[in-house]
Amino acid sequence: MTRHQTAEQIQQQANQWLELQRTGLNEQQQQAFLHWLNESPEHHAVYQQSQQVDQLLAQFDDAQTAAISSPSNHFHFRKVWAIAACVAILMISLTSYQFWPSTSNANFNAQYQSARAEQLDFVLPDGSKLSLDAQTQLILQFDAKQRVSHLKQGRALFDVAKNPQRPFIVNTHRANITVLGTRFSVDSKSNSTRISVEHGRVKVQSTRHAQHLIELVQGQQAVLNDQGVDVQSMNPQLVDAWRNGRLVFNNVPLNEVCAEFNRYHDADFEFTDQSVSNLMLSGTFSASELDNFLDLLPHVLPIKIKNNNNHIVISKS
């Protein structure tokens, strides 16, 4: 949401999306709707409340609607008027939404999704800040006792507002991460989870290896995979390098490096040999310059590359 958007404008946009959904969204419209919904927590809140209003109004049948203007049926008139009053109160609360502190309600649920080459930034109701890298899916579920984030896939940067009474928890398919207030990044892939800490402390519990419970501090990162948990040192200033278009690798398998570039480019990588995909690479590269990366790669690794309309075949040299 831009700073100049008013509650009325957001409400109008939410109503337009509800109307389009009644007739059915095509694929392009669905992508546009998700983009609008993910732009800010206010969009989520107003849209969800608008849905409730829509569902409430759907309970009115023709007879009840007619009863409002019928002086002979006072019982129906009072019943429908009471429902309409509730709707009016709710609509007033929608219009006033942006002027109330968002932390006044501990409960908050939202779903965020970014497309290829898209990065999104949010300020959450508790004051925490969230940044999504490209091709990331994340679900938030806040209540009075805890703040839970389910990172389904992709990478996110969390700048957590400290609250000892409400720990901030990030779950991936390989790790449960708990913090009170800190700034850290979580990268969830199908075969690994990587947690990198810029400052503060982060507790990491492996979901695959229950005995692995560790605490990370500033300048540390943990990689969780099928082999276990590997804790490494890193430059804390590079935790959010990806937000500035830089991809930083420190002894990372080539297939993971290519997967990183695939977040920003519609490319299909093929490795002719597993030994090639497991080659280790270190360095800093521009996320937007795939061609330059591919040109450089054969000079630093014993490989050759064929690129046919973004179908990239990597084999031994």
Side-chain angles (χ1 to χ4, degrees), residues 146-163:
Q146 61 184 7
R147 298 164 289 172
V148 180
S149 171
H150 303 279
L151 183 59
K152 298 299 184 181
Q153 71 172 43
R155 177 163 49 197
L157 178 72
F158 301 89
D159 193 346
V160 178
K162 189 172 183 178
N163 187 339

Side-chain angles (χ1 to χ4, degrees), residues 77-301:
F77 176 81
R78 287 194 297 269
K79 178 180 177 182
V80 176
W81 183 90
I83 296 174
C86 291
V87 174
I89 292 171
L90 182 54
M91 293 305 294
I92 292 172
S93 72
L94 287 174
T95 305
S96 305
Y97 175 82
Q98 67 178 19
F99 303 108
W100 290 89
S102 56
T103 53
S104 63
N105 185 358
N107 294 322
F108 176 71
N109 296 278
Q111 181 171 343
Y112 302 106
Q113 180 174 329
S114 59
R116 175 176 278 120
E118 180 182 42
Q119 294 181 348
L120 303 173
D121 296 313
F122 306 96
V123 177
L124 305 182
D126 67 335
S128 298
K129 297 178 181 178
L130 170 67
S131 297
L132 300 189
D133 198 0
Q135 292 191 318
T136 297
Q137 294 181 11
L138 181 144
I139 297 173
L140 294 179
Q141 295 176 318
F142 287 10
D143 60 32
K145 295 182 178 179
Q146 61 184 7
R147 298 164 289 172
V148 180
S149 171
H150 303 279
L151 183 59
K152 298 299 184 181
Q153 71 172 43
R155 177 163 49 197
L157 178 72
F158 301 89
D159 193 346
V160 178
K162 189 172 183 178
N163 187 339
Q165 283 71 47
R166 294 175 73 206
F168 196 102
I169 300 168
V170 180
N171 296 326
T172 74
H173 65 293
R174 289 184 178 270
N176 297 322
I177 305 150
T178 305
V179 302
L180 295 177
T182 185
R183 194 169 193 260
F184 65 105
S185 176
V186 182
D187 189 356
S188 179
K189 297 185 174 71
S190 61
N191 60 350
S192 68
T193 291
R194 184 183 301 266
I195 303 105
S196 307
V197 181
E198 180 176 317
H199 63 74
R201 294 179 179 270
V202 175
K203 292 182 180 179
V204 180
Q205 171 74 64
S206 172
T207 61
R208 307 291 180 91
H209 305 276
Q211 72 276 16
H212 289 151
L213 175 60
I214 60 175
E215 184 174 284
L216 302 176
V217 297
Q218 181 181 29
Q220 288 186 321
Q221 69 177 9
V223 179
L224 294 83
N225 52 34
D226 291 337
Q227 286 69 48
V229 180
D230 181 25
V231 178
Q232 308 166 354
S233 297
M234 63 166 301
N235 183 345
Q237 295 180 353
L238 298 179
V239 167
D240 64 348
W242 52 269
R243 297 182 69 221
N244 299 314
R246 290 187 297 158
L247 301 180
V248 181
F249 305 106
N250 182 18
N251 208 31
V252 176
L254 183 57
N255 61 340
E256 290 191 21
V257 173
C258 293
E260 287 288 304
F261 274 96
N262 209 30
R263 285 174 169 164
Y264 307 96
H265 303 272
D266 187 10
D268 177 25
F269 290 92
E270 177 186 344
F271 297 93
T272 60
D273 189 281
Q274 186 173 355
S275 63
V276 174
S277 67
N278 290 334
L279 288 171
M280 296 297 180
L281 181 68
S282 298
T284 301
F285 307 93
S286 171
S288 63
E289 297 178 358
L290 176 60
D291 290 338
N292 289 343
F293 168 72
L294 295 176
D295 290 339
L296 175 66
L297 211 50
H299 297 285
V300 296
L301 293 177

